[in-house]
Structures are given as C-alpha cells and as structure tokens.
Amino acid sequence: MSGWMRVLSGVPQGSVLGALLFLMYINDSDTGLINELLRFADDTKVFRKATDGSDMESIQEDLNRLVNWADRWKMEFNVKKCKLMHFSRDKVNFKYTMKGNTLQETSLEKDLGVVILDDGKTLSQCQYVYNKAISILGMINRTIRYKERGIMVRLYKTLVRPHLEYCVSAWSPHYLKDKELFERVQHRFTRMFKDLRQRNYDERLKSLNLWTLEERHNRQDLIEVFKMYKGFTRLSIDELFERDANIKGTRRHTLRLKKKQSVRDVRTLLFFTDSLDQETVDVGSINSFKGRLDKITKTRMGFLWILHGLKSPRPHGHGTPVRPHKVSYKGLTKWRPSEQEVDQRGHEKRLCKKTVKHVN
C-alpha cells in the first residue's frame, strides 16, 4: 500500500472524488467573461448573439480570457478540437483565434450525443440515431434464438428505444420522412415475431402493448413544455412560445400557446396541444402531470396524434378517423391524413407530394 502524499496541483485520476474535484477546479473559469458560457464536464461553449463587429470582438476577448485562465492554472485547451459554428444565413468573415491559431469553422458538430447542424435541421441526427438503433436491433435478432415476447420487448425497451428517445425534445423529428424513418425501427422489431407478421403495424403494436414512436415523442414534448411552464427548467416558456389571446369559450384549458415565427427549424421541434383539460394543466408536479396524461390516453388515445390541428386516421379507434390514404415508404406501411387535411399546412403539403392511393 502506497503512502500519503500531498497533492499540489491537478486532479487524481480514477478516484471517487475525481469528478467533484475537477468541477471545483474549473468552477472559476467564467470569471470576468462577458458572454454566455456553458460547461459540461470538460466541454466548454461560449456564445452570444452577434450583430456587429463589436459583438464579435467581445467573443474574441472572452476566448483570450479563457486561454489566460488555462495557462495560469496549467490546464491548456486542445485548440485542434475547438470549433466555431455560426447560426446565420449571412456569411461571417470574422476570424476567431486561440493561442494564435484560427479556429476551424464547422457546419456539423456532435455535442453531448446530439448531432447539431448550423441550419437547425435534424436530418443528420435522425440518420445517426436510426443507424445506431437498427444495428443494435440486428444484434438482438442474431443472438437471441428463443424470441419470447416478454424478453424481446424488455430488450427492445432497454437497448434500442433509449437511442431513439435520447434528448428527443431538442431534436424531435417533424418532417414526415424522418418520422417514417424512425417507425421503420419499431416496424422491423414487431416483425421478429412469426405469429405477428401477417398483421398490420397497428395491430402488432397493440399486441405488444407498445405506442408508436411519434406518440411517445409528442408525450415527451408535452412534458417538456409543462416543465417550462412551471419553471422547472432554465429555459423560459416565453422564449419559444407566445400566449394566444384569442381564447373563445371555456372549454379545455386556458394555456393556449403559439409558436414564435422563425427562419430556422428549431422552433418547430416542440409541440403542445389544446386537447388537455384545465385540471391537467394546473397540477403542481411532473409526476402528477404524467399520471394525468396516462389517464387521458386510456380514454382518448388519439389526442397524442393531434398535431398541427390534424386528427389521427388510425383504423383501430385511436382518435377520430378521417378518410385514409396509404403510402409505402421502403417497406413500411404508414397511415397519414387525407390530402384535403394536409392542404391546411403549407410545409406538410410540400413534404407529402408522393403518389397516394385511396383505401376504401
């Protein structure tokens, strides 16, 4: 057994207190900074809204302060891993530097497991998550020979579905092609059972007691908006939504929200429905809100499909049925609203220019 030694600098590696000591060690790295700073473990981000040259100079000064802090405490930044990302349509010619090296500008970066694009779209993240989930699903299919329903559903919920729902409120897919891409994973899983292969997708989900991924994403969006409304998160609800003053009548709840206009896709990720009742909106805790949602879904399952004012056309009684159309997307049969309903939304109309077929 080694003897005691006084530690004058650095953080012990592989210890229980190592993580806590590291956080204490870097806790003063934001001293003197002017702009916003976010830290998670050893990742640091500096950002602000830059409208002119003085704002850009302010960011450069903060970078210089961080470099000076790191040199003073013998903890250097790896400049090769430091990247610059602009969220703007206009080209920015300002060059940011650290220790005399110009920072590399990037349009795609993976941060805390989420792929971020400079245009705010989630296509790369959806494809990344899909590939990861489908590879794990293939591993399960190859290694598990006795496919008992209870065991397979537990494996799916434990190993596959968490990848499809990790931090989903920040990048929830809202394009039809991305939603169908995700449903392909669960579609393939339900077809692993030989006795269910002849049934349609909705019947297989009902037999396995599963929701569609879109329903689960919408439920998570509701919970996230509820957290912002009650002040349980740092993000204020007024930053993403506006209160709808045109409330007529006393039906349903008074928390009517409208999304603010934006040139990017970021504001289209969250979803909130006015189909909740006032008692659900007024609950005081997250668990109570989840319980109320579960209670509503048992009586009105289709309310989680009420997206952009459209109701679910699902054939087995989920929601109010409308005239259905059927689209084949690389082996996946997907129910969607009629063309007349889709015409209500311009962006949905652009995305749904596929050949459709009436199903009597």
Side-chain angles (χ1 to χ4, degrees):
M1 184 175 180
S2 60
W4 290 94
M5 180 176 292
R6 186 175 181 182
V7 179
L8 301 179
S9 64
V11 177
Q13 298 294 319
S15 66
V16 177
L17 293 176
L20 178 60
L21 293 175
F22 177 78
L23 294 178
M24 295 174 60
Y25 195 78
I26 67 172
N27 190 46
D28 63 337
S29 61
D30 59 347
T31 303
L33 297 187
I34 302 175
N35 303 300
E36 297 286 343
L37 181 137
L38 294 177
R39 288 176 302 210
F40 185 85
D42 59 344
D43 291 333
T44 304
K45 290 177 281 293
V46 179
F47 64 95
R48 73 165 297 163
K49 181 180 180 181
T51 57
D52 52 28
S54 60
D55 295 334
M56 302 176 188
E57 290 288 350
S58 174
I59 297 177
Q60 181 60 57
E61 292 175 0
D62 281 350
L63 293 177
N64 296 336
R65 292 187 183 96
L66 285 174
V67 170
N68 295 334
W69 174 89
D71 293 339
R72 183 169 64 253
W73 292 104
K74 309 301 180 184
M75 186 180 291
E76 297 183 0
F77 285 100
N78 189 344
V79 182
K80 295 182 180 179
K81 292 185 178 181
C82 296
K83 301 292 182 62
L84 170 67
M85 180 177 288
H86 292 287
F87 293 92
S88 173
R89 290 185 173 182
D90 301 327
K91 186 176 180 180
V92 181
N93 296 321
F94 192 89
K95 302 296 183 181
Y96 295 93
T97 62
M98 290 184 69
K99 303 183 69 173
N101 299 315
T102 302
L103 296 183
Q104 178 184 354
E105 187 172 348
T106 181
S107 60
L108 183 148
E109 191 67 24
K110 185 179 178 182
D111 183 40
L112 302 181
V114 178
V115 180
I116 300 175
L117 293 175
D118 59 354
D119 58 2
K121 296 184 181 298
T122 61
L123 175 62
S124 298
Q125 171 66 11
C126 292
Q127 190 65 51
Y128 167 75
V129 171
Y130 168 79
N131 292 336
K132 198 169 186 179
I134 209 70
S135 63
I136 298 176
L137 190 62
M139 180 269 295
I140 295 175
N141 189 32
R142 292 190 303 269
T143 55
I144 306 298
R145 301 187 63 180
Y146 178 63
K147 294 179 173 58
E148 195 272 331
R149 288 192 184 184
I151 296 176
M152 294 297 291
V153 170
R154 291 188 185 95
L155 288 174
Y156 171 75
K157 291 181 177 180
T158 304
L159 300 179
V160 180
R161 200 166 66 181
H163 292 287
L164 301 171
E165 298 180 347
Y166 168 71
C167 201
V168 71
S169 295
W171 56 270
S172 180
H174 56 282
Y175 288 118
L176 181 63
K177 59 184 179 63
D178 294 334
K179 294 178 181 180
E180 291 178 342
L181 183 68
F182 270 40
E183 293 296 339
R184 286 175 61 186
V185 179
Q186 195 159 257
H187 179 270
R188 181 173 296 186
F189 168 72
T190 58
R191 286 184 59 83
M192 289 183 180
F193 308 97
K194 294 182 179 180
D195 58 330
L196 298 179
R197 291 179 182 176
Q198 301 303 321
R199 303 183 185 182
N200 61 41
Y201 181 50
D202 291 308
E203 291 177 351
R204 295 198 298 269
L205 290 179
K206 193 173 183 179
S207 298
L208 298 174
N209 196 23
L210 294 174
W211 289 9
T212 65
L213 294 175
E214 183 177 0
E215 287 172 331
R216 291 184 59 84
H217 291 172
N218 291 343
R219 179 180 184 272
Q220 186 60 37
D221 282 348
L222 287 172
I223 296 173
E224 193 65 29
V225 174
F226 176 79
K227 290 180 182 178
M228 290 188 289
Y229 171 59
K230 293 296 183 178
F232 296 147
T233 62
R234 293 179 58 184
L235 183 63
S236 172
I237 194 172
D238 295 328
E239 297 183 31
L240 293 177
F241 296 97
E242 294 178 350
R243 302 295 180 93
D244 189 358
N246 298 323
I247 300 178
K248 297 180 181 180
T250 58
R251 296 183 60 185
R252 297 175 181 172
H253 60 84
T254 57
L255 182 61
R256 303 294 180 87
L257 301 177
K258 297 189 302 182
K259 294 178 183 178
K260 296 182 178 180
Q261 294 184 355
S262 175
V263 297
R264 298 292 183 181
D265 282 6
V266 178
R267 296 194 191 277
T268 62
L269 299 182
L270 284 177
F271 140 79
F272 198 74
T273 176
D274 62 353
S275 297
L276 301 176
D277 52 35
Q278 189 65 41
E279 185 178 355
T280 303
V281 175
D282 291 340
V283 297
S285 66
I286 300 174
N287 289 333
S288 299
F289 184 73
K290 292 180 180 179
R292 292 288 305 176
L293 285 183
D294 294 339
K295 183 178 179 180
I296 294 175
T297 53
K298 291 180 181 179
T299 56
R300 292 187 291 122
M301 184 69 177
F303 94 100
L304 283 178
W305 277 77
I306 301 175
L307 198 57
H308 305 309
L310 302 181
K311 290 196 179 286
S312 167
R314 301 181 64 184
H316 60 266
H318 289 189
T320 303
V322 298
R323 175 145 191 166
H325 288 70
K326 195 176 183 182
V327 176
S328 178
Y329 183 80
K330 295 183 179 180
L332 170 63
T333 299
K334 178 71 176 179
W335 291 92
R336 48 171 281 212
S338 64
E339 188 174 2
Q340 181 180 1
E341 295 288 336
V342 173
D343 284 345
Q344 298 178 10
R345 299 291 296 184
H347 68 279
E348 290 284 352
K349 185 177 180 181
R350 293 196 306 271
L351 294 173
C352 299
K353 288 182 179 179
K354 298 181 180 179
T355 303
V356 296
K357 176 182 177 184
H358 282 287
V359 179
N360 296 323

